[in-house]
Amino acid sequence: ALAMFELIIDRYHETKPFPQALWQAALLQDGREENEQAAAFYERLVDDCPQFPEIDAALYNWAWALDDLGRGEEAHELFDRVRRDHPESSYWADAAFRLAQRSYEARDYDRSGQFIADLLAADPSGQILENTLYLKGQLAAAQAKWDEARRSFETLLRNHPESSLQLMAEYGIAEATFRQDDYGRAGEQFELLRRRTHDRSEPWLAVVHLRLAQSLCQRKEWDEAFEVASTIEARYPNFEEQYEVDYVIGRCLSSRAEFDQARASYEKVIRSPGGEKTETAAKAQLMIAESYYPQKNYQTALREYLALEILYDYPTWQAAALLQAAKCHEMLGEWKQAVDLYK
């Protein structure tokens, strides 16, 4: 069939069957996942036959063929042509959603928000509406607009209780609650999620366990926090935020005055590839220094406080470290050095 269509394309490009032959050849190559060839046929159809009745479908399919080839920018432009030039197309809503999603991924939040607003104004249905509401929540979360994020996720759950995005939306609500420092309610929400997913092991669920442990830690429920945090590494061995888990474990151990074990956990934070330059690493360095202070090992504590001030660029924690370092100088009777650090 493909050979026959190509014969028409090669020899009879002035005839009525020519556009249909291009279209069918493109669809056949698409079905065979021959994306390069399919894209070439779609491009020729769009360029040579602009009045083709299914030109919107040709643009849409061409965009996906280019996307599969890793040519995302060109695909983005074609989705935008569908959105801009074919507002009555059955492909319009999905093309607009792809533009919103790609803009979000590129952190062009204003443009993503405009696409989302246009989509919701068009009142899409089914999966596109669910995806758009979820993306709206993600966009608000990325901009730390936690009330707006929670409302979007709640709207999704209220209007689409059977959505495949239900768990992710529930997580979004819990995350918004956590980010607004309501640790009691957030802990309850994350605990419910943990129970509902106890038999699942998708990587993103590691964050549910982490947030539960962090919520308990914020409420100083140290034993419960330790119980949750200490199981995460074994269950999710490739968790990119394991350094956050190790920090929680260190805090729990410090609360028990198990300082050697706590310092070992904080060291894991500082030396982890993902966490070594983060604010969490700065806090871990502070906690290492703090662990020596109640042991009256002021010289070592001083060294660790000053290491934080030198190695990390987080003024809040640098200030805390300098204050404590000055106190160490006082305890050592080094008054001039203490004055210099207080200044």
Side-chain angles (χ1 to χ4, degrees):
L2 181 60
M4 293 299 100
F5 288 129
E6 288 178 334
L7 186 63
I8 295 171
I9 293 166
D10 291 341
R11 297 188 184 181
Y12 305 103
H13 57 274
E14 299 295 337
T15 67
K16 282 187 177 181
F18 174 71
Q20 194 62 228
L22 276 172
W23 175 237
Q24 294 298 334
L27 292 176
L28 281 172
Q29 294 286 36
D30 222 340
R32 289 150 55 103
E33 298 185 3
E34 298 285 351
N35 295 309
E36 195 77 53
Q37 295 89 331
F41 282 129
Y42 287 130
E43 182 175 14
R44 189 170 177 187
L45 176 60
V46 169
D47 291 345
D48 294 355
C49 312
Q51 302 306 315
F52 182 64
E54 295 181 83
I55 199 70
D56 58 329
L59 286 165
Y60 180 81
N61 288 359
W62 181 15
W64 278 116
L66 291 176
D67 189 74
D68 289 339
L69 290 167
R71 295 158 62 179
E73 286 299 321
E74 295 170 77
H76 187 92
E77 292 174 9
L78 291 174
F79 285 127
D80 203 25
R81 284 179 66 178
V82 175
R83 181 197 67 85
R84 185 180 62 248
D85 300 339
H86 302 277
E88 302 304 319
S89 170
S90 60
Y91 298 97
W92 183 90
D94 192 69
F97 173 75
R98 303 301 166 186
L99 291 167
Q101 187 177 49
R102 289 164 188 270
S103 297
Y104 165 75
E105 291 169 354
R107 299 187 179 184
D108 187 349
Y109 296 144
D110 288 343
R111 190 165 170 78
S112 181
Q114 186 57 60
F115 287 134
I116 289 170
D118 291 345
L119 253 173
L120 293 177
D123 195 22
S125 59
Q127 192 67 45
I128 291 178
L129 177 57
E130 294 175 30
N131 289 342
T132 303
L133 287 170
Y134 182 72
L135 182 59
K136 184 179 180 182
Q138 285 184 299
L139 178 63
Q143 299 174 92
K145 298 176 180 178
W146 299 111
D147 279 334
E148 184 179 331
R150 187 179 63 252
R151 286 195 299 271
S152 294
F153 294 130
E154 287 174 345
T155 300
L156 171 59
L157 291 178
R158 182 171 58 253
N159 296 340
H160 306 275
E162 303 301 319
S163 173
S164 61
L165 295 168
Q166 181 186 32
L167 277 179
M168 296 295 290
E170 289 179 358
Y171 166 76
I173 292 169
E175 180 72 11
T177 306
F178 177 85
R179 296 287 187 160
Q180 292 179 302
D181 301 335
D182 188 349
Y183 300 116
R185 189 174 169 206
E188 292 171 1
Q189 292 168 337
F190 285 121
E191 174 61 22
L192 182 60
L193 272 171
R194 186 176 72 143
R195 290 179 182 176
R196 289 181 57 195
T197 59
H198 70 93
D199 58 344
R200 298 172 59 170
S201 58
E202 294 97 314
W204 73 270
L205 291 171
V207 184
V208 172
H209 294 249
L210 169 61
R211 288 288 186 263
L212 174 57
Q214 289 173 323
S215 298
L216 293 166
C217 192
Q218 289 288 344
R219 295 169 63 187
K220 302 189 185 308
E221 297 179 23
W222 303 113
D223 290 342
E224 294 86 347
F226 182 81
E227 182 181 354
V228 174
S230 60
T231 66
I232 295 175
E233 187 170 17
R235 185 167 182 175
Y236 302 98
N238 299 313
F239 185 34
E240 292 182 356
E241 294 184 59
Q242 179 60 38
Y243 64 91
E244 296 280 7
V245 179
D246 292 326
Y247 179 74
V248 170
I249 291 173
R251 290 294 309 277
C252 295
L253 292 168
S254 292
S255 75
R256 303 174 182 176
E258 297 177 10
F259 295 122
D260 288 341
Q261 298 93 319
R263 285 191 283 265
S265 287
Y266 295 136
E267 287 287 347
K268 286 180 68 177
V269 177
I270 292 168
R271 305 197 190 293
S272 67
E276 60 181 344
K277 294 299 180 182
T278 64
E279 186 174 7
T280 301
K283 292 192 292 182
Q285 179 64 45
L286 180 66
M287 295 306 297
I288 289 173
E290 294 279 76
S291 71
Y292 287 108
Y293 198 90
Q295 295 181 314
K296 299 184 179 181
N297 188 345
Y298 301 120
Q299 197 67 53
T300 303
L302 174 63
R303 183 177 67 248
E304 298 295 345
Y305 285 128
L306 293 178
L308 191 163
E309 198 274 330
I310 294 167
L311 297 176
Y312 297 93
D313 188 21
Y314 294 97
T316 296
W317 306 112
Q318 289 171 296
L322 286 172
L323 177 65
Q324 292 300 103
K327 290 180 181 179
C328 288
H329 278 304
E330 281 200 63
M331 299 304 293
L332 293 166
E334 298 168 349
W335 311 108
K336 181 180 182 304
Q337 295 92 324
V339 168
D340 288 342
L341 289 187
Y342 283 132
K343 285 182 179 179

